[in-house]
Amino acid sequence: MTLGMLNNHSSRQLDSESGISSSDESGISIKITDGSTMPALVPQTNAGSHPYQISIQSSSDSDINQPQQQQQQQQERRQQLGKPIYTSTVDWLRPIVPDDFLYRQQLAQLRQRKHGITRLSIIDFDNTLFKSPLPNPDLWDQSLIGMLKSTDLGWFQDARTLSWPYLEYTEKHWIESIETLTELESKRSDTLLMLLTGRSHAAYRDIILDLLSRRENLRFDIVILKETPTRQSPLVSQIDFGTLAAATPAPLTFDYKMAVVEDTITAFPEITEIAMWDDRDHQCVKMQDYLDSLHARTSDQIKKVNVYHVLPQTIKMREDNERRLVYDMINEYNARVRSAAVDDGFEENAKSKLPLGSIETNEYTKFTGVFLDSKSRALLQKHIRSPRGWVRASKCSFAKNIKTWRPLRTGDLVLSGTIGEHRVTSASIVKPLSKVLKTPDEVSIGSLVCQFWPELKGKEIGAAVAKVRTQMEEQGLENLESNRSEIAAIVRSLF
């Protein structure tokens, strides 16, 4: 589906590559399925402006100082990352105890077989080597996606997200360029090749090893997933020996990966070069800064470090599969909450009838748009090249940032489509109902703000409404029709 959504508030505009000026305008008209034709609003531009580009405009004078602020923040971050997350104290000349991390036991075995290792190559799994399915933003809003990616619902802790039927046609999920890179790295006799992922060791180790076993060209020296320790470990806060894994907090993925690196370079003291590939840009910057500090902290053992950012790739689940999985995860979570609530004294929200702390979902319309038919999409793509990044509805972040508008004459390009809604599901944690029911507003403050201050747009209107509400609270003024004149007076005096 190709869909463009155009709104009228922004700090960006669509601009042209060329500076050609002309009084002619190229127009787009959209034909709705009921047979009527209406002119579409498209960004103001010149006739020679094809193809479109995004022109970024400074949003405030403070942006001038942004590079200086970024340099200061980067320096502070590097100073912080210069401190070791953990210093390896493993004595590799002694046997590794059975209840230690599995990867340490494997490194000890590799020390016996691999000699002359001077390079450490580390490749991430999710969306770096493998197009792992992620929560689909076409189905869920950010509130629910956040819960899915956290340990609340545990998308990255639930084995089903990498298992059939939710993971289909696995041969299509491998990222060819990184596969080729992995094959080349595995042929180097001076290199220890490691797959290192933040996925849960308990949930995913067998699954990932099975996926790798089907690719004859992928041969890692060691595959490491994030283990939750069952003994005292410097990777997490103090844990008593014998603590059950289920009760032990797992370390952050970044901390765990850097600790693995620290252990590996002590296990193989001849390593002088480290290379890493990861799909998360902010993590790449963080890892590069941390590993750069190894040069000073390892008495110049590490001489070269490169962290490479890989553009993330994913293949979505089939929508029916993903909906079923997500609702199963929510229901299972709510069942655990209900079970705990029964043990602790049951209390529920009187409206939703769900225990407090449960997850409640709500479907709403994210946007209404004209969904073009296949012939119109092909015609549009043939004549107009979309701005970079403006590919699908879920990617149209530029659409809300178009600044200048002008209605154009119809007839140049006729498109057919159907007006429809795009609905997504949100989620919230069930809380107790307020004992004092809020009186519904009788006066629309937003309408008054627009009436008296028509130059305000978007977030500015919201800020003005909040300011009016604050003053009403200070004056003890209720939102009643009988108080309209007093509320209007507050709105007039805002600026």
Side-chain angles (χ1 to χ4, degrees):
M1 176 182 68
T2 301
L3 176 62
M5 299 176 294
L6 310 179
N7 299 325
N8 61 356
H9 45 277
S10 159
S11 60
R12 300 180 185 174
Q13 65 181 10
L14 287 175
D15 204 352
S16 64
E17 283 190 89
S18 63
I20 302 173
S21 62
S22 171
S23 58
D24 294 335
E25 296 168 343
S26 59
I28 300 175
S29 65
I30 298 179
K31 185 178 181 181
I32 310 306
T33 52
D34 63 5
S36 63
T37 302
M38 65 179 183
L41 290 179
V42 299
Q44 178 181 343
T45 182
N46 296 322
S49 63
H50 169 71
Y52 293 130
Q53 278 187 321
I54 293 296
S55 175
I56 308 298
Q57 295 182 344
S58 176
S59 58
S60 68
D61 294 337
S62 62
D63 290 344
I64 298 173
N65 299 322
Q66 194 171 4
Q68 185 177 355
Q69 294 172 355
Q70 288 177 341
Q71 285 183 344
Q72 184 177 355
Q73 290 172 356
Q74 186 178 37
Q75 183 65 26
E76 292 173 355
R77 185 178 69 249
R78 284 182 172 175
Q79 290 176 354
Q80 181 65 28
L81 292 173
K83 303 173 184 177
I85 289 173
Y86 139 84
T87 302
S88 179
T89 57
V90 179
D91 185 350
W92 295 102
L93 299 178
R94 300 172 64 89
I96 303 298
V97 295
D99 61 346
D100 206 326
F101 288 116
L102 174 63
Y103 82 79
R104 286 180 180 161
Q105 300 175 45
Q106 293 176 319
L107 283 175
Q109 295 169 5
L110 285 170
R111 277 170 47 86
Q112 307 303 317
R113 306 197 313 264
K114 303 277 287 186
H115 303 287
I117 298 298
T118 60
R119 295 179 70 250
L120 173 60
S121 291
I122 302 173
I123 296 177
D124 178 50
F125 181 75
D126 289 303
N127 313 111
T128 301
L129 174 64
F130 191 80
K131 301 173 187 176
S132 304
L134 300 172
N136 187 348
D138 289 339
L139 304 179
W140 325 110
D141 81 349
Q142 286 304 313
S143 63
L144 182 47
I145 289 176
M147 291 182 185
L148 285 167
K149 289 186 175 181
S150 74
T151 53
D152 293 335
L153 293 177
W155 184 276
F156 295 104
Q157 290 78 39
D158 194 313
R160 288 173 292 187
T161 59
L162 280 184
S163 303
W164 189 89
Y166 306 106
L167 181 69
E168 302 177 285
Y169 310 109
T170 56
E171 67 278 1
K172 296 181 179 180
H173 283 256
W174 298 99
I175 298 174
E176 186 176 346
S177 59
I178 304 301
E179 250 194 312
T180 302
L181 170 76
T182 301
E183 189 173 4
L184 293 173
E185 290 289 308
S186 67
K187 293 177 180 178
R188 295 191 55 160
S189 60
D190 63 344
T191 298
L192 184 71
L193 181 58
M194 176 185 295
L195 179 71
L196 180 57
T197 173
R199 290 267 187 179
S200 163
H201 174 96
Y204 291 105
R205 180 170 176 78
D206 290 342
I207 292 172
I208 290 179
L209 288 177
D210 179 61
L211 289 170
L212 290 171
S213 70
R214 304 180 206 172
R215 310 297 286 184
E216 294 183 359
N217 58 331
L218 294 180
R219 291 293 177 260
F220 289 91
D221 294 311
I222 184 169
V223 175
I224 302 177
L225 289 81
K226 187 163 63 176
E227 301 175 61
T228 300
T230 57
R231 61 187 292 276
Q232 189 172 7
S233 166
L235 299 179
V236 293
S237 57
Q238 291 299 315
I239 302 168
D240 293 332
F241 285 93
T243 302
L244 294 176
T248 306
L252 296 174
T253 296
F254 172 79
D255 292 1
Y256 191 83
K257 286 187 174 184
M258 294 303 98
V260 168
V261 171
E262 300 262 9
D263 271 341
T264 305
I265 62 175
T266 60
F268 292 87
E270 294 180 1
I271 289 177
T272 60
E273 181 180 341
I274 300 173
M276 296 185 73
W277 287 265
D278 199 283
D279 66 297
R280 291 181 292 179
D281 192 22
H282 69 284
Q283 287 281 57
C284 289
V285 174
K286 194 175 177 183
M287 288 188 290
Q288 182 73 56
D289 288 345
Y290 183 85
L291 295 177
D292 281 343
S293 71
L294 283 176
H295 177 74
R297 292 196 286 106
T298 58
S299 302
D300 294 341
Q301 174 192 345
I302 304 302
K303 301 184 183 304
K304 184 178 180 181
V305 172
N306 286 309
V307 180
Y308 300 98
H309 177 234
V310 179
L311 290 177
Q313 298 184 47
T314 183
I315 294 179
K316 297 173 181 175
M317 291 181 189
R318 282 195 290 116
E319 286 193 10
D320 57 337
N321 274 345
E322 183 166 344
R323 288 185 188 278
R324 184 169 65 252
L325 174 60
V326 169
Y327 282 112
D328 282 348
M329 294 168 75
I330 292 172
N331 290 335
E332 291 161 7
Y333 175 88
N334 287 345
R336 293 192 298 270
V337 172
R338 184 178 292 276
S339 176
V342 170
D343 293 339
D344 297 338
F346 187 77
E347 186 178 2
E348 66 179 18
N349 180 290
K351 182 179 179 181
S352 66
K353 302 300 181 183
L354 287 170
L356 303 186
S358 300
I359 293 176
E360 184 176 21
T361 60
N362 175 54
E363 191 178 69
Y364 69 94
T365 300
K366 186 174 183 180
F367 63 82
T368 302
V370 177
F371 295 81
L372 302 179
D373 58 32
S374 57
K375 183 178 179 181
S376 295
R377 292 199 300 270
L379 186 64
L380 189 63
Q381 291 169 348
K382 178 181 178 181
H383 290 280
I384 299 179
R385 192 174 71 198
S386 300
R388 184 183 302 172
W390 197 355
V391 181
R392 292 177 57 87
S394 62
K395 302 284 187 180
C396 291
S397 57
F398 296 141
K400 62 178 180 292
N401 293 326
I402 296 171
K403 183 177 182 182
T404 308
W405 294 89
R406 170 181 285 176
L408 302 179
R409 61 183 173 81
T410 64
D412 286 359
L413 196 61
V414 178
L415 307 174
S416 299
T418 305
I419 291 181
E421 294 179 339
H422 181 78
R423 297 178 66 80
V424 295
T425 301
S426 65
S428 59
I429 299 295
V430 175
K431 298 178 181 179
L433 289 175
S434 175
K435 294 181 180 179
V436 180
L437 295 177
K438 183 181 177 182
T439 303
D441 289 347
E442 296 183 9
V443 177
S444 172
I445 301 174
S447 296
L448 289 175
V449 168
C450 292
Q451 177 185 340
F452 292 112
W453 303 101
E455 67 273 20
L456 299 182
K457 303 293 182 185
K459 293 181 180 179
E460 298 172 336
I461 296 174
V465 170
K467 191 172 181 180
V468 172
R469 291 190 186 280
T470 300
Q471 293 190 33
M472 288 172 62
E473 289 179 7
E474 292 173 352
Q475 298 178 25
L477 190 63
E478 295 185 53
N479 192 315
L480 301 174
E481 185 62 36
S482 58
N483 294 330
R484 176 178 288 272
S485 59
E486 290 89 343
I487 297 172
I490 294 175
V491 174
R492 285 195 203 94
S493 63
L494 279 176
F495 304 102

